[in-house]
Amino acid sequence: MIREIVQVGNEILRKKCEPVKRFDAELGKLLDDMKETLRAAEGAGLAAPQIGVPIRAVVVDVEEGYFELINPIFVWQKGEQVGPEGCLSVRGKAGTVRRPSKVKILFQDRNGDKYSIVARDFFARAICHELDHLDGILYTDKAENIRDAEE
Ligand code: CO
């Protein structure tokens, strides 16, 4: 089911999200909805608080594939990249954000199984952006210049 994406100004976007403890059908349904909502919005990533659920779950859809990251944490962050970002919760805007160029994260999948991945370039940027959402941080807090997006 496509869910409504919460927009900036809603306080849920500023919450520190709770870890996922139950890897059950309800979580599966939430992730299915997040995937459908992300695809419909043609975005690169979506965090659970963006559909009003303040838990530590994000989905990322990039060249490298589609990923569901539950309880993700950084192992390390390296390098630096500077590039444009937008957010489905800040419609019509874009900004330039400095991010690490390479990150390693640990996460769980929807079954609770543990994995790690190393991501580079845009994939790393998408992960950093989405993980920030889990701590109530928006890219606009970090962007050097916020402008109207070219759409
Ligand atoms: Co966002």
Side-chain angles (χ1 to χ4, degrees), residues 35-117:
K35 181 179 187 177
E36 208 178 326
T37 304
L38 178 63
R39 291 255 155 102
E42 298 181 335
L46 187 72
Q50 291 182 275
I51 58 166
V53 185
I55 63 167
R56 304 190 79 81
V58 311
V59 297
V60 175
D61 195 9
V62 292
E63 235 176 68
E64 288 83 353
Y66 170 76
F67 297 86
E68 295 175 347
L69 311 174
I70 318 301
N71 299 329
I73 54 167
F74 288 109
V75 179
W76 47 251
Q77 308 180 31
K78 292 178 183 173
E80 191 176 274
Q81 59 174 321
V82 177
E85 269 178 47
C87 180
L88 295 174
S89 292
V90 191
R91 286 201 192 285
K93 299 286 179 187
T96 304
V97 188
R98 190 176 302 271
R99 299 284 192 187
S101 56
K102 198 172 170 186
V103 299
K104 181 175 182 178
I105 58 164
L106 295 176
F107 64 98
Q108 287 168 281
D109 70 5
R110 61 167 69 196
N111 301 313
D113 294 327
K114 293 178 179 173
Y115 296 90
S116 70
I117 47 172

Side-chain angles (χ1 to χ4, degrees), residues 1-19:
M1 189 177 81
I2 294 174
R3 307 273 286 257
E4 191 181 328
I5 299 176
V6 170
Q7 293 300 301
V8 65
N10 187 315
E11 68 173 24
I12 201 163
L13 293 175
R14 294 305 188 176
K15 283 197 158 71
K16 186 166 171 68
C17 297
E18 292 296 321

